[in-house]
Amino acid sequence: MQFNENLNRLKTYEPGKDIELIAKEYGVKEVIKLASNENPLGTSQKAREAIIQNASKAYLYPDDSASELRNALALKFGLKMQNVIIGAGSDQIIELATHAKLNHQNAFLQCGVSFAMYEIYAKQVGAKAYKTRSITHDLNEFKSLYEMYKDEIKILYLCLPNNPLGECLNAFDVEEFLKDLDEDCLVVIDAAYNEFASFKDEKKHINPAKFIEKFPNLLYLGTFSKLYGLGGLRVGYGVANEDLIDALYKLRAPFNVNILALKAAVAALDDEEFVKSSLENNFSQMQKFEDFARFNAIEFIPSYTNFITYFFEEQNSSNLSEKLLKKGIIVRDLKSYGLNAMRITIGKPYENTRFFEEFEDILKKN
Ligand SMILES: *Cc1c(COP(=O)(O)O)cnc(C)c1O
């Protein structure tokens, strides 16, 4: 069968491996997953209660306007419900933004190495990818590429902080940079980990209300999959001025977010204790990953997220990841990004300790 020719240029997204599947395949009893940047503390108590309380409503279609969650987010950011759209993960908002702006005659611009879905969605509609040579965000390079291909570039992605490398630009520099862009270029600020960055360093904080007021061409993306511990329910959001949100709404499928996800997200947003302990665990444990790297002469970029990326010289990251897998530890090899590196999600203290023990052993024997 012949398919749409855009499919020939597409790669399938490579997700973190599943715990149950690995346990079966490798015959390991206790599998530790440090691969998908999920919250190691699990699902907040408040969110779990909301899920249980609403389980009996699973036969009903959800509120299509998602007004409870949109209002809760609007309140948090000091905006109106009309400035918010909810998606089945912020992934889905990236898809809507792609359909709103890209086609086979134009292009998008991103950092050299960044979240894989920007390119996958763009290629689905035949759009071209421009990437900076630098693997981390370099605004000078963004600027010169943008100037060169201005007429083509219709989406510019900034991942703040960046997945899978963990670095983060300062909000002030981003603001200055955005002033020079054409209004017709949609700027997507992917803030999937911005709560982590803001906790570590205030200068990294992107205030969506302030940014969308200054830049009507800006779309801010947030998710409940990482800090808020709801990856399994698929819920994320976009924040922008009303015209932009209206355009995205035209592309949205009805009832795109399920009833349990909507209820759990409202509850998770309200669970400040859980958020605080998640952030504290993350950065106190991050310290241990940095110490481990220094002790073993592994290179890393200081991370503003809930993961750390280790770079290798002599050793092969795929080989190392595979050896960890055999011990029941799942990490994310970055070979598919063209890097000899692995991304490790910061886990709970006992998970991290086990990672350090097993990994040190593997490094010695290699
Ligand atoms: C995880 C992630 C997302 C989207 O996650 P969803 O689960 O779809 O909400 C978006 N961008 C980045 C950079 C991510 O790491």
Side-chain angles (χ1 to χ4, degrees), residues 31-79:
V31 175
I32 291 175
K33 186 182 180 198
L34 302 176
S36 296
N37 307 336
E38 292 137 335
N39 189 327
L41 305 191
T43 310
S44 91
Q45 183 64 31
K46 284 192 178 178
R48 270 185 279 166
E49 280 163 14
I51 294 165
I52 293 163
Q53 266 169 25
N54 288 282
S56 63
K57 298 200 186 110
Y59 74 102
L60 290 168
Y61 277 105
D63 165 22
D64 185 56
S65 72
S67 64
E68 199 184 0
L69 181 56
R70 288 167 74 203
N71 276 316
L73 286 163
L75 189 68
K76 176 182 160 85
F77 295 130
L79 290 163

Side-chain angles (χ1 to χ4, degrees), residues 256-267:
N256 61 327
V257 183
N258 75 73
I259 194 165
L260 299 181
L262 290 172
K263 293 288 184 185
V266 171

Side-chain angles (χ1 to χ4, degrees), residues 164-211:
L165 297 179
E167 95 283 0
C168 193
L169 294 170
N170 287 335
F172 177 80
D173 299 327
V174 174
E175 203 180 317
E176 289 302 303
F177 166 74
L178 296 182
K179 284 177 184 161
D180 297 332
L181 301 186
D182 195 283
E183 225 179 87
D184 192 47
C185 177
L186 173 64
V187 175
V188 177
I189 293 191
D190 187 342
Y193 305 92
N194 197 260
E195 299 96 340
F196 291 97
S198 307
F199 182 81
K200 182 174 172 178
D201 179 354
E202 248 173 58
K203 292 197 289 296
K204 311 294 180 190
H205 178 63
I206 302 289
N207 176 334
K210 182 178 147 194
F211 270 80

Side-chain angles (χ1 to χ4, degrees), residues 13 36-37 87-94 114-118 159-164 190-193 221-226 230-231 234-237 307 343:
Y13 179 77
S36 296
N37 307 336
S90 58
D91 236 322
Q92 193 171 54
I93 317 280
I94 298 171
S114 199
F115 189 49
M117 294 313 298
Y118 309 150
C159 192
L160 307 173
N162 191 19
N163 177 13
D190 187 342
Y193 305 92
L221 302 181
T223 180
F224 287 91
S225 300
K226 311 287 161 55
L230 296 177
R234 314 300 305 120
V235 50
Y237 56 92
F307 58 81
R343 189 191 70 192

Side-chain angles (χ1 to χ4, degrees), residues 241-303:
N241 81 66
E242 276 188 61
D243 289 347
L244 192 43
I245 295 294
D246 286 349
L248 299 179
Y249 254 96
K250 290 184 185 166
L251 295 160
R252 184 194 66 114
F255 311 113
N256 61 327
V257 183
N258 75 73
I259 194 165
L260 299 181
L262 290 172
K263 293 288 184 185
V266 171
L269 210 51
D270 193 42
D271 201 339
E272 286 171 20
E273 270 307 300
F274 178 78
V275 164
K276 188 163 168 274
S277 40
S278 302
L279 290 167
E280 283 167 0
N281 172 72
N282 186 67
F283 287 106
S284 65
Q285 291 297 306
M286 178 78 77
Q287 193 71 48
K288 303 211 158 105
F289 279 87
E290 294 182 357
D291 293 344
F292 179 88
R294 285 191 200 99
F295 186 76
N296 290 284
I298 298 168
E299 264 189 70
F300 66 94
I301 299 175
S303 170

